[in-house]
Amino acid sequence: MNIFEKLQSAISNVLSNKLRSFLTMLGIIIGVAAVITMVSVGQGMKTNITSQIQSLGSNRLTVRPGFQRVPPGMGIMQRGGMNIFTYDHYLGLRNSPVRGIKNIGAQASTNKVVTFGKESTRTSIIGTTPNYPDLENFKPAKGRFFNQYDLDHMTRVVVLGQTVAEDLFGNDDSSNIGKKVKIGNVSFTVIGIMEKKTSMGMDRGDQVFIPITTAQKRITGSKYLQTITVETYTIEDMDSVSDYLEAYFLRKFNNDPDKFDIMNSQDILDTVTNVTGSITLFLVIISGISLLVGGIGIMNIMLVSVTERTREIGLRKAIGAKTTDILSQFMIEASVLSLTGGLIGIILGILSSLIVSKVSSWSTTISWPSIIYALGISVAVGLFFGIYPARRASQLNPITALRFE
């Protein structure tokens, strides 16, 4: 028999026991489908998180109080204390003629009740600088953001997030601009309402924005900042600007590096990429167990097939079939089973990825390398687990096989 005749015979044997063949392939089908789905979900998760981080700006440096993990891997503990950065630190940086710095912003936040008439909601009060919309890529949908005059004169103006505006006013009408709301017991004039936006799965509409000078004087009563954000012109400028920031704050804090941390958005992006890659690999390994189970199923059914066809094997050997002919015949049958299961698994994996994308907020990304990988593994599994039954069949003694009942 040539290769085409062996393939035709293998397909015929598989089709002669359709239900048994399908149950044999089931492990391969589930394994391949699971691998493709998990990789698609993992790639989609990586793409979503990466795009959200990049939407905040890929050339940003954030200076915050120093933190460390204590004990290692068990949580985060503050090192330097929260009350370290002041508005003067921000002004000193803003007035520094440093090459590569495009924007500098500062932020301090607290939680307060915001009231309009009989309506009230507890939300985050963000004291920040006028360039916040540019630094965060988060713009007002109606009205305006506060300006340098408001910052310098500590005016009582507020920009509401969409969620807060809906809680207080019950609609999205631009006529809400100019209304008076209270933050705690202090009256503010609404000058803008931010656009709808989510970031890292969080609703950014559930916050309000006021000048940081106003926040310090009238809301928090504290002169301290929580973060200082620096935007560079290009990613290439980040290293030199980061070095400058480190030297600047070391001078301010008596050469104590534990007082502050400088977070690089590119480092965060690299960390996210590594973490999502590790998660995806873990999910693929777990899914790959189904392929192993499927391979054992193929070996089991091929052993049954050898037993059932013992007389056929003896007859073929008696009329001149070589050991290699019998070996290749059963190897081809095992490959047909695993390849067919792999192809069905690919279809189910693609469909399940699309379904996950439809029913959840996460998009999925079909990875063609993962499809090729899963198909190749399924065929390899079939070949590996088909070797023993095929070898057993090829070594049968023809006289003994012909006498088999």
Side-chain angles (χ1 to χ4, degrees):
M1 296 175 69
N2 59 37
I3 186 66
F4 296 106
E5 291 174 327
K6 291 176 182 177
L7 181 60
Q8 185 178 12
S9 175
I11 294 173
S12 176
N13 287 325
V14 169
L15 292 177
S16 64
N17 295 283
K18 295 182 181 65
L19 180 59
R20 188 174 76 177
S21 297
F22 174 75
L23 293 175
T24 302
M25 293 185 292
L26 199 55
I28 298 292
I29 293 172
I30 294 172
V32 170
V35 167
I36 292 172
T37 303
M38 291 300 101
V39 171
S40 299
V41 171
Q43 290 293 325
M45 179 173 64
K46 175 183 173 182
T47 301
N48 282 333
I49 296 175
T50 300
S51 64
Q52 290 185 34
I53 292 175
Q54 288 178 335
S55 70
L56 299 176
S58 56
N59 51 336
R60 286 164 34 114
L61 296 161
T62 302
V63 188
R64 63 175 188 171
F67 289 87
Q68 67 180 355
R69 294 188 177 275
V70 180
M74 297 299 291
I76 297 177
M77 182 174 287
Q78 190 175 306
R79 289 192 317 237
M82 282 298 295
N83 298 330
I84 59 170
F85 299 130
T86 66
Y87 191 66
D88 288 337
H89 291 145
Y90 158 72
L91 290 177
L93 280 174
R94 193 184 71 176
N95 297 328
S96 299
V98 183
R99 183 179 180 182
I101 293 181
K102 180 180 179 182
N103 252 328
I104 300 178
Q107 183 175 309
S109 64
T110 187
N111 287 304
K112 291 283 184 180
V113 174
V114 182
T115 307
F116 175 74
K118 295 181 179 180
E119 302 296 331
S120 64
T121 181
R122 189 170 188 87
T123 188
S124 296
I125 313 300
I126 310 296
T128 187
T129 48
N131 54 4
Y132 181 89
D134 294 325
L135 282 168
E136 300 291 329
N137 192 24
F138 187 27
K139 314 287 185 182
K142 293 180 174 64
R144 67 175 179 87
F145 208 75
F146 53 83
N147 54 33
Q148 192 64 40
Y149 176 88
D150 297 313
L151 186 73
D152 294 339
H153 292 82
M154 305 179 197
T155 59
R156 291 181 292 172
V157 293
V158 61
V159 182
L160 304 179
Q162 282 275 358
T163 304
V164 176
E166 291 170 5
D167 289 343
L168 296 178
F169 305 134
N171 58 60
D172 195 24
D173 193 342
S174 59
S175 63
N176 295 320
I177 305 298
K179 290 182 178 178
K180 301 285 187 179
V181 300
K182 282 189 174 182
I183 300 177
N185 295 319
V186 183
S187 179
F188 283 78
T189 301
V190 177
I191 61 171
I193 297 175
M194 300 298 281
E195 62 187 350
K196 288 186 177 180
K197 188 172 184 179
T198 58
S199 179
M200 307 294 287
M202 298 175 61
D203 177 19
R204 300 196 68 181
D206 191 17
Q207 50 190 347
V208 302
F209 305 91
I210 61 176
I212 193 166
T213 50
T214 308
Q216 290 178 324
K217 183 176 179 61
R218 300 184 182 277
I219 302 299
T220 65
S222 171
K223 65 178 182 179
Y224 295 103
L225 311 175
Q226 289 171 347
T227 59
I228 296 175
T229 304
V230 179
E231 180 185 18
T232 63
Y233 283 101
T234 65
I235 293 177
E236 288 72 22
D237 292 326
M238 293 183 71
D239 288 340
S240 61
V241 172
S242 180
D243 291 341
Y244 174 81
L245 292 175
E246 183 176 5
Y248 176 85
F249 284 108
L250 283 174
R251 289 197 306 270
K252 297 295 182 181
F253 300 130
N254 299 318
N255 291 319
D256 185 356
D258 287 342
K259 286 288 186 179
F260 62 93
D261 278 334
I262 301 174
M263 296 175 60
N264 185 324
S265 59
Q266 196 61 40
D267 291 341
I268 297 173
L269 200 58
D270 293 340
T271 300
V272 168
T273 300
N274 291 334
V275 169
T276 53
S278 298
I279 293 173
T280 301
L281 178 61
F282 175 74
L283 293 174
V284 168
I285 291 173
I286 296 299
S287 304
I289 293 175
S290 296
L291 287 173
L292 178 63
V293 173
I296 294 172
I298 288 177
M299 181 170 67
N300 181 56
I301 207 65
M302 291 304 296
L303 286 171
V304 172
S305 180
V306 169
T307 302
E308 291 178 342
R309 296 161 61 188
T310 301
R311 288 178 61 83
E312 175 195 329
I313 295 168
L315 183 60
R316 290 180 60 190
K317 283 196 140 188
I319 60 176
K322 299 178 181 178
T323 298
T324 54
D325 293 327
I326 305 298
L327 180 67
S328 61
Q329 177 64 39
F330 280 88
M331 290 293 290
I332 289 173
E333 286 189 27
S335 299
V336 167
L337 283 170
S338 60
L339 179 60
T340 305
L343 292 173
I344 297 173
I346 287 172
I347 296 171
L348 290 180
I350 293 174
L351 290 176
S352 62
S353 298
L354 296 175
I355 291 171
V356 168
S357 181
K358 289 290 184 183
V359 301
S360 69
S361 58
W362 289 101
S363 63
T364 55
T365 303
I366 303 298
S367 171
W368 290 107
S370 71
I371 291 176
I372 297 172
Y373 157 80
L375 185 60
I377 291 296
S378 68
V379 174
V381 164
L383 288 172
F384 178 79
F385 285 97
I387 288 175
Y388 176 71
R391 188 168 179 273
R392 181 174 176 179
S394 66
Q395 292 180 342
L396 285 175
N397 185 290
I399 297 175
T400 304
L402 286 170
R403 289 176 179 174
F404 182 81
E405 293 295 336

